[in-house]
Amino acid sequence: MSQSSPQQGRPPCPSRPRRRREDLHPAGPGEDPAGTTPVHGAVRASDAEREAVVERLRVASVEGRLTFEELTERTEAAYAAVTRADLEHITADLPGMGAPGANPAPPQVKRRFSAVMGDCKERIVGRIDGPLEAVSVMGDVELDLRGAQVPTGEVHISATAVMGDVKIIVPDGVAVELMGHAFLGDRRVQVREPCPGERIPIVRVTANAFMGDVKIVDDEHHAPIRRAVASWWRDRRPDA
């Protein structure tokens, strides 16, 4: 049987930047604004309650209520939740279980993305129900999955780079499985390692690079300089 508050025995896990964590874990009835002093009456969440919220998030994704990025971010927040108030905040804008289902997002009709001596840059926002294919021949292909709808929580991509580059952008916290081969090329995964044993969204990529590069990056590694400048500017604002 699951026991409450597994954080004590769970190994430390890398997490998203502090500002984004605070958005999903504001000071609730169980802690002070600094998040350090428990308030009398706070109830700690159990493993079973965390898993129930993760399942609720999965259902919301199937219904088209959450993007791939939102599903990944909230799933990670659910596993990191300490109190029931934390879990309630994560699902505050979602209908309760058993509520009438919503129409799913429109399907992603285009499945093959190619660039031959040119560029192809796509931000996918439709519902991904099947595998995707990216082919670059002396060109560049960039696929951004952060705004996609992924009902199954899994995305399968076949990526081929021939004297070109394929870049796949995934949400922070997603798991990535990389397969394939490289000949005078490179295959790289630059994402934050997720905590083991958790049901998190996953992207499976079969990458074949021939004198080219296939790279999978999360939001944190996609544009580090731009993110650093944006964070610096935000921190300078008096109302930040």
Side-chain angles (χ1 to χ4, degrees):
M1 181 179 296
S2 299
Q3 301 295 322
S4 62
S5 64
Q7 275 72 16
Q8 296 178 357
R10 183 175 293 174
C13 177
S15 58
R16 70 172 60 85
R18 178 177 178 84
R19 182 179 299 276
R20 297 182 67 183
R21 296 200 310 270
E22 289 172 347
D23 291 341
L24 286 173
H25 295 286
E31 58 184 31
D32 66 6
T36 56
T37 307
V39 177
H40 178 70
V43 179
R44 296 178 69 86
S46 68
D47 278 351
E49 289 169 328
R50 294 185 185 91
E51 291 293 345
V53 168
V54 170
E55 177 62 17
R56 186 173 171 187
L57 295 173
R58 188 194 67 79
V59 171
S61 177
V62 170
E63 294 175 339
R65 302 182 192 275
L66 298 176
T67 65
F68 196 34
E69 183 174 38
E70 291 168 335
L71 172 63
T72 305
E73 186 172 272
R74 295 193 190 199
T75 297
E76 185 179 13
Y79 282 118
V82 176
T83 67
R84 288 179 177 175
D86 293 335
L87 293 177
E88 290 171 359
H89 178 73
I90 293 169
T91 58
D93 60 348
L94 299 177
M97 295 296 286
N103 292 327
Q108 176 64 36
V109 177
K110 185 177 180 181
R111 299 286 184 82
R112 191 175 192 272
F113 306 89
S114 60
V116 179
M117 300 181 68
D119 298 329
C120 174
K121 187 174 183 179
E122 296 279 349
R123 179 173 175 84
I124 299 176
V125 296
R127 186 180 76 248
I128 300 178
D129 291 330
L132 305 177
E133 183 181 5
V135 179
S136 171
V137 180
M138 293 188 288
D140 296 319
V141 174
E142 179 179 291
L143 294 184
D144 189 344
L145 304 180
R146 292 172 292 180
Q149 302 285 345
V150 186
T152 63
E154 293 188 10
V155 179
H156 295 259
I157 301 176
S158 173
T160 303
V162 181
M163 293 188 289
D165 298 321
V166 173
K167 182 178 183 180
I168 301 169
I169 306 171
V170 301
D172 286 342
V174 75
V176 174
E177 289 186 2
L178 181 63
M179 300 165 284
H181 305 279
F183 176 75
L184 297 178
D186 193 17
R187 301 178 306 130
R188 287 175 287 170
V189 176
Q190 292 178 291
V191 301
R192 176 164 42 85
E193 287 293 329
C195 290
E198 297 179 350
R199 291 191 303 157
I200 58 176
I202 185 169
V203 176
R204 293 186 169 93
V205 181
T206 300
N208 293 297
F210 306 95
M211 294 186 286
D213 296 327
V214 176
K215 181 166 62 174
I216 301 95
V217 300
D218 59 14
D219 189 48
E220 184 175 339
H221 294 85
H222 169 47
I225 296 178
R226 184 177 63 189
R227 288 170 61 89
V229 171
S231 177
W232 170 81
W233 178 255
R234 186 173 53 239
D235 292 341
R236 288 193 61 196
R237 293 171 51 191
D239 57 341

